[in-house]
Amino acid sequence: MLRPQAADSTEHSLERRRVRVDRSGAFALASTDLGSQYASLYFTRLNLLRPRVLAAARARWADSLDNPPECVQRILNVQVGVPSYVVGTVFVDMPNKPNILKDIAKEGWTVFPEARETYTSDNDTVLLEDESGRIALTGEIVRTTVFVTGIVIGLLGYETEDGEFHVLDVCYPSFEPQPSMPAAPTQADEHGPWVALVSGLNLGSQGHMDMRHELLLDFLTGESGTAKDQRAASQIAHVLVCGNLMAPMQKPLDPRSRGRSKPAVLHGGVGRATQAPGQTPAGAGSNSGTEPAGQASASASTEAAMGGFDPLSIATADTFLAELSASIPVDVMPGPSDPTTSFLPQRPIHASLFHQASRASSLHMLPNPCALAVDGVMFLGEAGQVLDDLGRSTRVARGLELASEVLKWGHLAPTAPDTLWCAPFTDTDPLVIGTRPHVLFVGNQPRFETALVELPAAGGGHALSQPDESQQARAGRKEATRVVLVPSFAATGTIVMLHLRTLQTKTVEFGTAL
Amino acid sequence: MQTQAQTLLQLPRIRSTPVATLLADRDALDARLRAFDLSSAFGPCVGISRLARWRRAARQRLAPPDDLGVLLASPEAAADPALREALWHNKL
């Protein structure tokens, strides 16, 4: 299929469209030292984002007004009734958030807390914090704007008699100018090139490839359909697997979860090593399926930690990737259920797990989250754990709206390390977004959603007064980002195709229903 | 025409480096290093060596004292844990 077309060839062979991929994004970190505390991470995040917020805040509130509000350097120095603006990190105090101290006090704790649907409640308090101290926020804006722990913003307001800060306006950081799209679409780009975004394949949950996976393979490699379909498939230049390539481990390790239908996600813990009756391990190859219940020895606990591992899922994924990468370049990002580190940024799945597929040079392993440039189009994305955690932390927005907030905040995962696992960086914060990408994708979502989000280059939102010409020119310039929520293939059987020149999307659905 | 040796003999001998000057008055140096540790402008001091913290402050343009930076990067500081590590190292 990939041979060049000979002039006298009687066979009709198609050549696949090619694109250049640049994978030198900021998340390809080699190693992280896990020995430090997280205070350094918050300090670094504040110092990286504070100058950007101050610049945007000055342009928005101070430069164009006659009586500009003053900028208060330390939050504790705000004065009652004086309009001023402050910059700090938001902290949302949620009583429903898992708290290890409360769990210990209740004396019913296990190593890993139960996963909760949401951390929000009616008793949440939003505070703004910097090196000097913190102050509680009030005002109507606080209820209607999305505030999560860890974002760095500027707030205009005044201190009330109760010692709280009444918020009048919110300001977000400014960004470096977004590089323009590399090429305008030409006549040759009418049919492509397309990038296929796939997520949540969950290979190996039955020990063999699902019919839908076979259909997906045939579609992407061009082996299905007529000549017209094959011509369309040859325009798919790249496949990006956005997380959850392999199915999560089915075996629960927490004895309290017996009888639950949801499988426990991979955790190698030292919980009590009793096996829940009635819960069969996934696949046929699990080797600790006959572990006697109630045995609490150390060897049994490590056996339980490792025993639920299904080698068939890796073999299935290997076969799938080998067939796919023989025909089309594939980039694989890990997700929450893949065998790699679980704290952000997740290390790429090691290619040596896949014996056959790793021989192909067209298979690349990426970290999660990842930033790459395909033919000059900047992609930034993550496998879904960040958006799911954000959804648990706020009620104000969901789904696509919440994913677009990331482009305003300038930080990809602000709730890390509070409710999301993250490595304790001491001198950088690689999750800070410096320039808005052209495409922001989130994997493993329940359904497909997409929008072309346009945001002003600096500050975000409306200006309070009439800015002058140069500011208007700069603030009026909008930067567009295509935000895509990629649906989970295991749940919906749908993949997303993105046109590289026009950033249009379409979905392809695979099903076996008649 | 001077020989090279004669030229070298005429140069003023450098008797004290900045690091040696600082190390001469150890009490004042310790006070300055403690102030560097406790200064909130440069971030938390727990879990990070003084040199790494100084470098982080320099990279983020927070203007840490230059002579302390020279001292912390010197081999004398690398050999002495009282200089190398911050105030609460192994105490928290």
Side-chain angles (χ1 to χ4, degrees):
Chain A
M1 268 214 64
L2 295 179
R3 285 167 297 156
Q5 213 161 9
D8 54 351
S9 163
T10 50
E11 293 173 345
H12 179 61
S13 61
L14 285 172
E15 196 169 301
R16 191 181 287 282
R17 195 104 185 216
R18 284 187 204 178
V19 288
R20 275 172 300 113
V21 182
D22 175 19
R23 295 177 187 89
S24 58
F27 302 109
L29 297 176
S31 68
T32 48
D33 173 27
L34 297 178
S36 39
Q37 298 198 2
Y38 287 107
S40 301
L41 178 60
Y42 278 115
F43 170 74
T44 308
R45 188 183 295 178
L46 186 59
N47 272 346
L48 286 176
L49 286 172
R50 183 164 37 192
R52 292 166 55 179
V53 180
L54 273 177
R58 220 168 279 134
R60 192 178 155 97
W61 294 319
D63 283 351
S64 43
L65 293 178
D66 292 331
N67 260 347
E70 50 175 293
C71 173
V72 180
Q73 298 292 341
R74 299 172 83 227
I75 283 185
L76 293 183
N77 290 348
V78 288
Q79 289 163 338
V80 178
V82 175
S84 45
Y85 61 95
V86 288
V87 178
T89 315
V90 170
F91 177 70
V92 184
D93 190 10
M94 297 185 276
N96 236 7
K97 204 168 60 174
N99 189 341
I100 184 67
L101 298 174
K102 280 192 205 150
D103 285 346
I104 291 181
K106 276 190 291 187
E107 288 180 333
W109 67 289
T110 55
V111 179
F112 291 101
E114 302 174 29
R116 294 180 206 201
E117 290 294 322
T118 178
Y119 304 139
T120 58
S121 66
D122 291 325
N123 301 330
D124 294 344
T125 341
V126 185
L127 302 116
L128 193 72
E129 185 176 305
D130 72 353
E131 295 104 344
S132 62
R134 47 163 69 163
I135 193 167
L137 306 177
T138 57
E140 190 54 40
I141 275 192
V142 176
R143 273 187 288 280
T144 53
T145 323
V146 183
F147 281 125
V148 293
T149 304
I151 56 176
V152 177
I153 51 172
L155 296 175
L156 175 73
Y158 55 89
E159 191 186 354
T160 62
E161 306 285 329
D162 303 326
E164 298 181 327
F165 193 77
H166 185 94
V167 179
L168 299 170
D169 197 17
V170 181
C171 175
Y172 299 105
S174 62
F175 286 79
E176 297 286 315
Q178 188 190 48
S180 50
M181 284 280 288
T186 61
Q187 184 59 29
D189 296 329
E190 195 190 323
H191 298 291
W194 297 88
V195 170
L197 298 166
V198 189
S199 163
L201 286 168
N202 278 16
L203 287 165
S205 46
Q206 288 95 24
H208 58 87
M209 270 204 279
D210 203 356
M211 186 64 186
R212 296 187 302 183
H213 295 124
E214 305 262 0
L215 288 173
L216 174 66
L217 258 185
D218 288 342
F219 172 75
L220 289 173
T221 54
E223 287 177 14
S224 67
T226 62
K228 179 166 154 258
D229 298 316
Q230 287 180 347
R231 265 197 297 277
S234 72
Q235 298 294 323
I236 307 175
H238 205 80
V239 173
L240 186 52
V241 179
C242 322
N244 281 358
L245 175 71
M246 289 178 248
M249 277 186 3
Q250 290 288 330
K251 181 167 175 160
L253 297 168
D254 183 6
R256 291 191 306 174
S257 64
R258 79 187 64 186
R260 263 196 221 157
S261 54
K262 257 198 229 173
V265 183
L266 160 68
H267 280 310
V270 290
R272 298 207 214 108
T274 54
Q275 184 167 353
Q279 295 269 4
T280 54
S286 181
N287 52 12
S288 81
T290 53
E291 188 76 17
Q295 201 170 349
S297 63
S299 61
S301 68
T302 44
E303 192 66 58
M306 290 167 41
F309 173 70
D310 186 4
L312 269 186
S313 60
I314 289 198
T316 317
D318 191 16
T319 319
F320 183 87
L321 288 178
E323 273 197 56
L324 192 58
S325 56
S327 161
I328 184 170
V330 185
D331 279 27
V332 178
M333 282 171 62
S337 72
D338 285 319
T340 179
T341 52
S342 44
F343 47 84
L344 294 184
Q346 280 183 291
R347 299 243 197 120
I349 306 174
H350 207 282
S352 64
L353 283 177
F354 306 119
H355 296 296
Q356 304 169 39
S358 56
R359 290 193 206 135
S361 63
S362 48
L363 177 69
H364 295 267
M365 298 303 192
L366 297 177
N368 169 39
C370 83
L372 67 159
V374 182
D375 256 5
V377 177
M378 291 169 44
F379 281 68
L380 178 67
E382 48 104 7
Q385 6 359 10
V386 175
L387 189 60
D388 293 344
D389 196 59
L390 287 176
R392 284 192 284 265
S393 306
T394 179
R395 290 175 177 175
V396 179
R398 289 243 156 264
L400 195 65
E401 238 184 280
L402 193 49
S404 321
E405 293 283 327
V406 161
L407 296 169
K408 280 197 219 161
W409 295 330
H411 199 276
L412 193 51
T415 51
D418 191 35
T419 43
L420 195 60
W421 290 1
C422 158
F425 300 102
T426 48
D427 51 2
T428 69
D429 188 354
L431 299 167
V432 167
I433 304 176
T435 37
R436 294 202 178 103
H438 296 119
V439 180
L440 176 73
F441 63 89
V442 181
N444 292 309
Q445 295 303 301
R447 80 196 124 265
F448 166 68
E449 290 176 56
T450 185
L452 194 67
V453 175
E454 293 195 337
L455 290 166
H462 313 287
L464 279 185
S465 62
Q466 291 300 322
D468 60 358
E469 278 309 306
S470 62
Q471 267 186 26
Q472 198 163 33
R474 190 160 178 274
R477 186 186 48 180
K478 301 256 187 193
E479 295 178 342
T481 304
R482 162 71 62 186
V483 181
V484 184
L485 299 191
V486 185
S488 166
F489 189 81
T492 60
T494 315
I495 68 167
V496 179
M497 306 252 286
L498 177 79
H499 195 286
L500 264 188
R501 306 279 183 253
T502 61
L503 293 188
Q504 282 173 348
T505 52
K506 66 180 185 190
T507 57
V508 185
E509 199 174 323
F510 299 88
T512 48
L514 287 172
Chain B
M1 196 64 162
Q2 276 185 331
T3 62
Q4 197 178 20
Q6 284 169 326
T7 319
L8 280 172
L9 281 172
Q10 283 169 4
L11 289 171
R13 290 232 196 92
I14 301 173
R15 289 206 177 272
S16 62
T17 62
V19 173
T21 322
L22 284 172
L23 285 172
D25 187 1
R26 194 53 195 260
D27 287 337
L29 175 64
D30 280 340
R32 284 190 66 197
L33 284 173
R34 255 195 314 256
F36 172 69
D37 286 341
L38 295 173
S39 164
S40 66
F42 306 125
C45 67
V46 182
I48 189 172
S49 71
R50 277 181 176 149
L51 177 59
R53 185 162 174 263
W54 192 97
R55 285 204 174 125
R56 175 180 75 191
R59 199 175 309 132
Q60 292 178 7
R61 285 190 274 271
L62 302 168
D66 284 326
D67 52 351
L68 284 188
V70 173
L71 168 76
L72 292 170
S74 68
E76 288 90 343
D80 184 1
L83 289 176
R84 185 181 61 224
E85 303 291 350
L87 188 58
W88 289 311
H89 180 67
N90 281 345
K91 292 198 176 78
L92 278 183

